[in-house]
Structure formats: structure tokens, C-alpha cells
Amino acid sequence: MSTPISAEHPDDGQLAPVLDVRDLSVTFATDGGDVQAVRHAAFSVAPGEVVAIVGESGSGKTVTAKTVLRLLPETAEASGAVVVSGKDVLSLSGTALRQMRGRHAAMIFQEPSTALNPVYTVGWQIMEGLRAHARSSGQGRIGRRQAKRTAVEALRAVGIPDPEARVDYYPHQFSGGQKQRVVIAAALALDPSLIVADEPTTALDVTVQAEILDLLRDLRDTRGVSIVLITHNMGVVADLADRVVVMYRGEIVEQAPVRELFSAPREDYTRDLLDAVPHLGRQSASAGATERAGAGNEPVVSARGLQIEFPGRLGRQPFRAVKGVDLEIHAGEVYGLVGESGSGKTTIGRAIAGLTRATGGSLTVFGHEMVGFRERGFKPLRRDIGFVFQDPAASFNPHLTIGECIAEPLLVHPTAWSPDGGESAGSSTGPGRAAVGRRIDSLLDAVQLPAEFARRYPHELSGGQRQRASLARALALDPSLLVADEPTSALDVSVQAKVLELFREVQERFGFACLFISHDLAVVDHLATWVGVLYRGDLVEEGIGSEVMGAPRHEYTRRLVASLPVPEPVEQSRRRRERQESVGGP
């Protein structure tokens, strides 16, 4: 039976918490035995309060969040109490649980494209939630017109323009930021008192992220909504949270008001977590630089008036993603390319690697013209280009071991490498199986992974370990150029810091040129010596990284820098006020 609690605590006269987690433990049954993911967690969320739960992968923060709505798989067993609006979620029956979800607590998932059904309009999906809750609560059917009015108002509340028309749009007709707003609208439709937001801004650009954070803050201030925020972005925590809960290996190790935690953390783990956060202007790769690194070297990539178009569908005009970009990447330098979604940065990276066709202007890679290129002529150059994808879990074949995945480029280009420093490179047969094994061990060692990881499958590695393995595969043929597309965006700050430091060490060791694509300005500042800023297919600014970030000339770059949340609550509060007071921009 659920445990009702009074509207106020009798001892202090304060309103009862919207969420009260008491001695929560969660255990998963696995083939290798029981795994305890959460141990004796306890915290509460007051009405209108934002509580952030932070910690690295495997700390138990997402498991704790999903327990609030009892969204755990059947293999999980939870004990303790999770009290939402006076009822213990862990003891609710099926009908009562459905009534609680949405009506009292709702969840915003990390990836809106996955949360939304692509074959139904967003209005239908919001309306279906309304109708389902009306049935489960015994209210009977809710009229279509009433449901649609509620859906339109929910979309208007989250800032979707022209909601009367766009309520009938499909998910693919919205941008990434708008889809996240739609997911928030669906959560708001039933006016819950608690929203659980699981990494709601991870995949968003800094400008869109700032808008979503403003929206969540407005919901708290105007509607009194309480929010449990799961995130690895400490800048987001500093910007939005009132209080922070720090988890480590399934346990809560510290919790405190946000300003207190950032200024005077008590636990070593919390201090390490905060120290791992990249700060704009701190440890800048281009600090003190007065000229471009490698400027005297021959460029390995040269674009002049580069255009990339995608054909229109159903008689529509072609879409021009890149509009006459000029840039060069010199041997041995790290070129950081930043910009929001749709700016064209990934498209340029893929064109350089020959994965997307350049359609106008000129793009040369190692002197080879990519506009109208033939695969036969470019194929010998592919071995000189490595590619690190944003999501290593999707880029690895799940049926192959890590060692087999790393071996693929070695087997495809058997004459392009040798284990003896070049003496056997170019031979007709290439190195044998034993040499391939030694090469794999050497690559894993270079990215600081044990040799035995070669026998593991991708799903057996953590996110950070998979990204290290992805880097090892990209380096297999000693490339002269590496394209890294958002390689750290999905990593926790502590893992991200280790991968970035490793990346810097490996780049210095191997000396390859790199195009580093990211929407995280602090990460780019940490690695790149030369930075280009893309906006809607145009390169609007370019220069030494510390100068572009520290004294941006273009209005769009200034807006990007102003939108980046910094992991210091007082400073972030000031920056937010300045950003909100500013007007204009492209």
C-alpha cells in the first residue's frame, strides 16, 4: 500500500516535499550475479526546487531518476521508499502507477528524437497522453477539441511558434531544440508537480541549450514545478540548480546548496569532479600564441569557395548546407570548428573524409580535388584519414570484438602499415596475423586500455572506454589527418577530461593534423590552436583560438560565448542576466 503523508511536516510547518527518497536501494539481477546500482540513497525535493543529481557513468544517477517513475526493467528490484506527492511509488498498483505518471510526475528523456514517435504528429502524441490519463483516472473520454486545445496551449507554453498550425507537424519537421521543447510540452500537458529531466541538453548547441534552461527556469518560477535534473554538465548545474546531489558508485557522497557545493566541496570526489570541468580560457591550447601553428607547413586540407548541396525531395529546391567556405588545415595543427546544429560543420568534416560529396568551389585533401572526385582515385588516400565518430557505440559492429574492429582498417589496407617501422610497408602481402595482434596491442596501449580489452565486445566497455577504442581504430594506419566529430559530447566530465588529455598526448605523439568538431567551446579551447566559427553554412570568423574565444569579433560568436554556461554559480548568474538583457544578433 502507498504511504500517505500530510501536506505539511508537523515538526517544522514546512510544506511536504514533492519528492522524498528514503533509504533507496536498487539491485539488478544479471548472469554474473546481483549488481547493486544504488545503495541507501536519501534526498528530497521541495515545491518549486531544482535538484541536480551529478556523477560519472555508473554512479547510479539515472537509475535513481528512473525509479521515481518506476521505469526500471523487470530485472531490477528496488527497496526503501520513493514518495511522490504523498504516495510511495514503489508500492503502487498498476492503475495507480499510471495515474501518478504524467499527473504527478513526468519525465523528459535525453534524446527527443527517440522519445517521439516519427509516424504520428506531435499534437496526436500529446493528446494521446491526455486521453490515456483521462481513462486511467476514471474521467471517461476527453473530447478531441478539448485535447487539441490543451496540446496547443502546451506547445505555446514552451515557446513553439504558431502552435495552432505546428500541432499537426511531425517530429522530423522540428529542429533538435524544438523537439526537446515538444517533449517538455508533452510532460507539461497534465500539469505535473514534478519533472524528472534526464540529460535534457546534452545533444544541444550552447545557444539552444541556453533557451531550454531558460524555459525550465521559467516553468519553475511561473508554475512552481519541481525539477530533478540529471546531467554531467556542471555549467548547466551552476545555471539552473538550487541544490546538488553528488553520487559515486551507487551512493550519495555529498549534497548541498549549489553555491556552497561549488565554492567549498567537502568530499575529494566532488572536488575531482569540479576540477575535471573544462573552463573557457583556462589551459587554452593557444594561450600566448601570436601566429598560427604550422602556418609554414603545406596545408593538408584546403577549401576555396566550398559549397555542399543536398538534393531537394518531391520537387523542392536543393538545400545548400555549406555556402562558399574558405579554410585551411595545416600539417600538425588542431583546427577547431564550432557552430550550432545545421551550421554545416559535420557536413564539412564528412566531405573532407570523402563520406559526403562536395558540389561546388574547391576542396583539396592531400592535393586531391574532392569536387567531382572518383572513388578509385581517392581510395589510396583514405588510409591517411582517420575518423572518430560522436557515438562509438553506433560506429562499432556489435558482433565483433574490439580487437576485430580495430583490425578492420589494418586488413583493408594491409600494405599501408608495418610493425617494423616501414621495412615491410608496401609489400604485396602485408604483415601477418601475429603482427596485426601486436599492432592492436600497441594501439590499445597508446590510448591507455589494457591489451585484454581486445577480446571484449563494444557493449562490455563504458562510454569513455569505447571512445578510447574508437580513437585507437582511427589511429590504426598512422593517419596524417584525423576528423573528430563531437567525440566527447556524451561523456561525463571526469571521463571527458581523461579523453581530452589522452587526445592531446596522442596528437603530440603522432603529429597528425586534426579537424576537431564540437559545439562545446571550452573543449575546443582546450585542444585547438586555430578556430573557425560556422553559422548557417558560412564561416563567419576564424583565428587563434584564445582570440576568437576571448575577444570575438562577430556577433554570432559573441552570442555563442555568452550562451556557454560556466561552472561557477555566481558568475553564471551574472552572465545569464547580461545575455538576457542583450538584444540583436544574426
Side-chain angles (χ1 to χ4, degrees), residues 102-105 130 185-194 223 225:
R103 179 67 65 186
H104 297 289
L130 293 168
L188 286 178
L190 291 164
D191 197 24
S193 54
L194 175 68
R223 296 194 177 199
V225 175

Side-chain angles (χ1 to χ4, degrees), residues 279-364:
H279 291 63
L280 195 63
R282 186 187 300 178
Q283 294 182 320
S284 175
S286 58
T290 58
E291 60 181 20
R292 184 171 188 176
N297 298 333
E298 190 72 18
V300 296
V301 175
S302 179
R304 293 289 180 266
L306 173 63
Q307 297 179 7
I308 302 176
E309 283 188 351
F310 295 101
R313 295 181 179 180
L314 302 176
R316 295 181 179 177
Q317 292 294 318
F319 171 69
R320 183 167 293 180
V322 179
K323 309 170 183 177
V325 164
D326 294 346
L327 63 80
E328 289 183 347
I329 303 175
H330 295 274
E333 79 169 339
V334 179
Y335 186 115
L337 194 58
V338 301
E340 59 191 24
S341 291
S343 62
K345 56 186 188 296
T346 293
T347 301
I348 290 176
R350 292 179 62 84
I352 289 172
L355 302 177
T356 294
R357 291 276 175 172
T359 55
S362 173
L363 173 64
T364 59

Side-chain angles (χ1 to χ4, degrees), residues 294-570:
N297 298 333
E298 190 72 18
V300 296
V301 175
S302 179
R304 293 289 180 266
L306 173 63
Q307 297 179 7
I308 302 176
E309 283 188 351
F310 295 101
R313 295 181 179 180
L314 302 176
R316 295 181 179 177
Q317 292 294 318
F319 171 69
R320 183 167 293 180
V322 179
K323 309 170 183 177
V325 164
D326 294 346
L327 63 80
E328 289 183 347
I329 303 175
H330 295 274
E333 79 169 339
V334 179
Y335 186 115
L337 194 58
V338 301
E340 59 191 24
S341 291
S343 62
K345 56 186 188 296
T346 293
T347 301
I348 290 176
R350 292 179 62 84
I352 289 172
L355 302 177
T356 294
R357 291 276 175 172
T359 55
S362 173
L363 173 64
T364 59
V365 180
F366 302 119
H368 185 89
E369 179 58 61
M370 301 299 293
V371 177
F373 81 95
R374 293 181 179 273
E375 178 61 30
R376 178 178 296 179
F378 184 65
K379 185 176 180 179
L381 299 177
R382 287 192 181 278
R383 65 194 184 194
D384 293 321
I385 303 174
F387 206 110
V388 182
F389 295 91
Q390 178 175 356
D391 184 0
S395 67
F396 280 127
N397 187 329
H399 302 293
L400 299 181
T401 65
I402 291 297
E404 290 169 334
C405 291
I406 295 175
E408 281 188 300
L410 302 174
L411 300 176
V412 171
H413 299 282
T415 62
W417 66 282
S418 71
D420 52 17
E423 294 178 9
S424 62
S427 67
S428 59
T429 59
R433 183 183 297 272
V436 171
R438 289 194 298 272
R439 178 63 172 169
I440 293 171
D441 291 346
S442 174
L443 289 164
L444 289 174
D445 180 67
V447 298
Q448 299 175 16
L449 286 178
E452 58 265 25
F453 273 44
R455 297 186 292 274
R456 296 189 182 185
Y457 287 88
H459 73 272
E460 296 179 298
L461 273 62
S462 69
Q465 290 169 340
R466 279 196 296 265
Q467 197 58 283
R468 288 170 183 244
S470 179
L471 180 57
R473 179 179 58 181
L475 296 174
L477 298 174
D478 290 329
S480 301
L481 172 65
L482 192 71
V483 179
D485 186 11
E486 301 275 12
T488 63
S489 63
L491 302 179
D492 302 313
V493 288
S494 55
V495 178
Q496 175 182 264
K498 295 174 184 175
V499 170
L500 290 177
E501 190 57 36
L502 171 66
F503 191 96
R504 175 180 274 183
E505 291 174 2
V506 169
Q507 195 275 332
E508 292 176 353
R509 173 181 170 184
F510 288 87
F512 52 78
C514 177
L515 175 65
F516 192 93
I517 299 167
S518 181
H519 65 259
D520 191 326
L521 304 186
V523 167
V524 170
D525 185 51
H526 184 73
L527 284 179
T529 54
W530 193 261
V531 173
V533 181
L534 276 174
Y535 177 65
R536 295 185 178 179
D538 290 313
L539 191 69
V540 297
E541 187 162 356
E542 189 184 39
I544 295 172
S546 57
E547 295 179 357
V548 171
M549 305 295 189
R553 300 184 303 274
H554 195 274
E555 175 60 32
Y556 174 67
T557 312
R558 288 195 288 270
R559 195 170 69 186
L560 274 182
V561 174
S563 299
L564 178 68
V566 297
E568 298 170 355
V570 177

